[in-house]
Amino acid sequence: MNKESLLASIPADLSQEFLKEIINTGHIRIEQIVSKGHTSPEKDWYDQDENEWVLVVKGTGELTFESGEKVLLTAGDYINIDAHKKHRVTWTEPEEETVWLAIFYR
């Protein structure tokens, strides 16, 4: 068993959003995502077959849903997104890393 840290494993180069799959059993998938000013492409929506539970560990990010609803998440905030509920990341802190923990499940 290896101990790891979501905060200690942040890469120095964040010119691209960082994604690390932590666990994938086929029934559940857990990912670490690190954003720094990154957003979803302008016209792209996440439309996933899985439910997604998302926790902001550090930083701030905004999700926008196809309905127009916006949700601002800061450190410690979490949200559960039902499968096929279209959403996008419309803002993340440009001067600080936003560390997300995403758990995908059926």
Side-chain angles (χ1 to χ4, degrees):
M1 189 176 331
N2 292 331
K3 175 184 163 186
E4 295 189 44
S5 169
L6 293 174
L7 300 178
S9 62
I10 298 172
D13 179 10
L14 285 172
S15 56
Q16 300 290 318
E17 189 170 54
F18 175 75
L19 174 71
K20 177 182 176 184
E21 187 172 82
I22 297 170
I23 293 173
N24 188 343
T25 68
H27 298 286
I28 190 168
R29 181 167 45 98
I30 302 175
E31 294 180 350
Q32 173 193 19
I33 304 161
V34 182
S35 310
K36 190 172 182 182
H38 300 98
T39 60
S40 302
E42 182 83 21
K43 296 181 182 183
D44 288 352
W45 294 94
Y46 293 112
D47 183 9
Q48 300 151 171
D49 294 333
E50 306 154 299
N51 301 300
E52 180 182 5
W53 183 88
V54 180
L55 166 71
V56 172
V57 177
K58 174 186 176 193
T60 307
E62 179 183 74
L63 301 176
T64 299
F65 293 86
E66 188 178 39
S67 66
E69 178 185 7
K70 294 181 182 288
V71 178
L72 184 68
L73 300 169
T74 60
D77 292 341
Y78 63 87
I79 188 169
N80 192 65
I81 304 168
D82 292 333
H84 297 291
K85 185 165 185 169
K86 292 183 181 179
H87 63 285
R88 358 183 1 259
V89 176
T90 47
W91 182 83
T92 60
E93 185 68 48
E95 301 301 321
E96 173 186 357
E97 297 89 1
T98 298
V99 179
W100 313 78
L101 182 67
I103 300 175
F104 301 89
Y105 65 98
R106 296 190 184 270

